[in-house]
Amino acid sequence: MSNHQNCPPDALRTTKNMKAVVFSEQGGTEVLRWTDVPKPTLNATDILVKVEACAVNYLDIHARRNRPEIAEKLRRGDTPHILGSDIAGVVVENRGNTTRAEVSIGTRIVLAPCIPCKSCSDCHRGAENLCATQQLIGFQTNGGYAEYVKAPAQNAIRMPDALSFVNAAAMPIAYLTAWHMLMTRAQLRPGEDILILGAGGSVGSAGLQIAKLAGARIFATASTTEKCERARELGADVVIHYTERDFSEAVLEETDGRGVDVVLEHVGAATWGQSIASLAKNGRLVSCGVTTGNIGEIDIRKMYQKELTLMGSALGTVAELRTLIHLAGQGKLEPIIDRVLPLSRASEAHTLLENRQNFGKVCLVQEL
C-alpha cells in the first residue's frame, strides 16, 4: 500500500481506465473477473477516491450469488458490477467540494457506506440508517473492489493519522453494525452479561471488542477449537463451542440459571430459540441478520413473563461511525484482521468467508 497524499492529482489520472474486480452475471466465485474498466465519472457533489483497502462482507457474497437487487441491476444492462462497501483511501479528485477539509485532494478518508436521501423524516432526525431509499456503496452503486471509487462528498470521514487503511476499511459495516446494536439499541451497561454469537465472524468479533470496552462480562460462541481460543485471547470470559453443545444450556449453567442481559443475534432461524432461551428476566435480544433463515418462533408467554425485549438493528449512522473511527485512532478499538489479500484475489477472499475459515475481517488492497 502507498500513500498518495503528496502526489499531484494529475499523476493519478493519466488514463481513463482502471483495474477492478467485476461480474456481469450472478453465480459462484468464477463469475468474478479482474479486468480493465472505465474510471467513474463524477457528478457535481462527488469525490473520486483512490482505494487503498476494501474489506469483504457476507453481503458481497450474497450479491454475487443471488440478491434480487443485483439481479435487477444486471437485467437492466447496468454492467459490470463492482462490489465493496468498506472502503478506505485517498481523495484524488472532487467537483468543487473544496470547502470541506475532508474532501481536499490528498486527504486520507474512510467512506460511510450508505448514501441516504437527506430529505425524508428519518434523515432529518439523524436516523439516516432507516432511510427507505438509501443506497449502499458496492450494492446499489459500484464499490471498492477497484483502483478508484466515486462517492458523495458527504460520505467522507477523515482518518486519524495513527489509523491504517486496512484497519479503517474493516470498520464501516461490521463495527458500525455491532456498535449500533450494543450501544444504541441494547444500551449495554458496565457489569452486564452479554452473549455474542459467532465470535469468529466480523460482526461477532467487533461486538466482542465493543462489549469489552463497555465493561460487560462476555459469553461468546464459536464453531472450532481454534476460534474458541481466539475469542478467549480477545477477552471473552466464557467461550462455548456451539457445535458440541447447546449454547443456551451452557449459558444457563454458567449463570446459575439466570441467563444473560443481552444477546447479540445475527444468525437467524438456526439459533433463534437458543438465543431467547439464554436471556435473563428483562433481557434484551438485538438482531441484525438472518443468514440461516428469516422465520423464528417464540413462546409469547415466556416473553411477557420474563419481560423480554426483542429489537432489530439496521447498520448505524454517520455520527456513530465517526465515533468508532475516533476510538480506533486512539487505539481503544483495534479491528480484528484475519488476512490481507491483493485485490486480484477477491475470489479467494469470498471462498474464505463462504467456508467460514476467517476470524475477523478479510481485506483487499492494491497489488502487494
Side-chain angles (χ1 to χ4, degrees):
M1 291 179 290
S2 60
N3 190 336
H4 297 290
Q5 193 164 358
N6 299 317
C7 295
D10 288 344
L12 299 172
R13 303 195 302 274
T14 56
T15 70
K16 294 182 179 180
N17 291 330
M18 66 176 182
K19 284 287 188 182
V21 176
V22 305
F23 65 97
S24 297
E25 60 180 342
Q26 290 176 306
T29 56
E30 72 280 355
V31 303
L32 298 175
R33 295 182 293 117
W34 171 243
T35 188
D36 289 308
V37 295
K39 283 183 182 176
T41 301
L42 303 190
N43 297 318
T45 57
D46 289 335
I47 55 174
L48 186 68
V49 179
K50 176 71 170 66
V51 178
E52 293 290 351
C54 183
V56 180
N57 290 293
Y58 275 102
L59 182 61
D60 299 348
I61 293 170
H62 296 315
R64 188 205 75 222
R65 284 174 174 171
N66 54 22
R67 280 297 290 256
E69 302 94 329
I70 301 298
E72 176 60 27
K73 184 175 184 287
L74 298 178
R75 276 196 298 270
R76 292 197 309 264
D78 188 3
T79 61
H81 184 72
I82 302 173
L83 296 166
S85 305
D86 282 343
I87 303 163
V90 178
V91 178
V92 295
E93 186 178 350
N94 61 44
R95 283 289 183 259
N97 295 295
T98 55
T99 57
R100 292 182 62 221
E102 286 179 316
V103 295
S104 60
I105 303 301
T107 304
R108 301 167 72 248
I109 66 165
V110 59
L111 288 174
C114 287
I115 306 172
C117 74
K118 290 295 184 181
S119 60
C120 68
S121 59
D122 292 316
C123 287
H124 283 314
R125 65 185 178 87
E128 68 271 15
N129 61 308
L130 297 178
C131 174
T133 59
Q134 66 179 305
Q135 295 183 314
L136 182 66
I137 296 173
F139 198 67
Q140 283 89 356
T141 72
N142 282 334
Y145 285 23
E147 289 185 274
Y148 299 93
V149 65
K150 79 170 182 178
Q154 68 187 22
N155 285 57
I157 298 174
R158 188 168 190 156
M159 289 169 48
D161 292 339
L163 188 60
S164 72
F165 287 116
V166 166
N167 280 4
M171 302 200 73
I173 297 291
Y175 279 77
L176 181 55
T177 296
W179 181 274
H180 190 70
M181 293 176 77
L182 298 185
M183 307 309 294
T184 303
R185 298 291 288 143
Q187 297 184 12
L188 182 66
R189 296 183 289 269
E192 288 193 310
D193 289 342
I194 179 171
L195 171 63
I196 296 176
L197 302 191
S202 55
V203 171
S205 59
L208 199 161
Q209 275 198 315
I210 292 167
K212 197 71 178 178
L213 186 65
R217 182 169 69 142
I218 301 169
F219 294 69
T221 73
S223 60
T224 68
T225 301
E226 181 183 6
K227 289 184 177 182
C228 287
E229 289 302 318
R230 289 291 306 278
R232 287 191 184 91
E233 292 170 5
L234 290 174
D237 298 285
V238 178
V239 181
I240 304 162
H241 195 315
Y242 71 80
T243 64
E244 294 183 349
R245 66 178 305 191
D246 183 307
F247 66 76
S248 63
E249 291 180 357
V251 166
L252 294 173
E253 181 180 305
E254 291 287 343
T255 60
D256 295 324
R258 175 183 178 272
V260 295
D261 301 290
V262 176
V263 173
L264 186 155
E265 165 66 64
H266 56 97
V267 180
T271 55
W272 187 252
Q274 289 187 63
S275 292
I276 293 175
S278 299
L279 286 170
K281 294 176 182 178
N282 294 306
R284 293 101 70 197
L285 181 148
V286 58
S287 171
C288 71
V290 287
T291 55
T292 61
N294 298 348
I295 307 301
E297 294 185 351
I298 182 169
D299 184 328
I300 299 173
R301 179 177 295 177
K302 287 185 178 179
M303 183 184 72
Y304 68 68
Q305 287 177 340
K306 295 176 70 175
E307 295 194 350
L308 303 180
T309 300
L310 309 180
M311 62 187 78
S313 183
L315 198 55
T317 67
V318 175
E320 290 171 315
L321 183 54
R322 289 184 186 277
T323 297
L324 285 162
I325 296 299
H326 179 69
L327 289 170
Q330 293 180 322
K332 293 181 180 179
L333 288 175
E334 186 172 355
I336 309 303
I337 308 298
D338 180 84
R339 70 193 74 192
V340 177
L341 295 173
L343 187 58
S344 59
R345 292 167 60 186
S347 60
E348 181 179 336
H350 278 220
T351 299
L352 287 168
L353 265 68
E354 286 179 304
N355 294 336
R356 301 188 181 279
Q357 294 174 298
N358 61 303
F359 192 104
K361 299 295 287 188
V362 177
C363 287
L364 303 172
V365 298
Q366 303 302 326
E367 297 309 281
L368 298 172

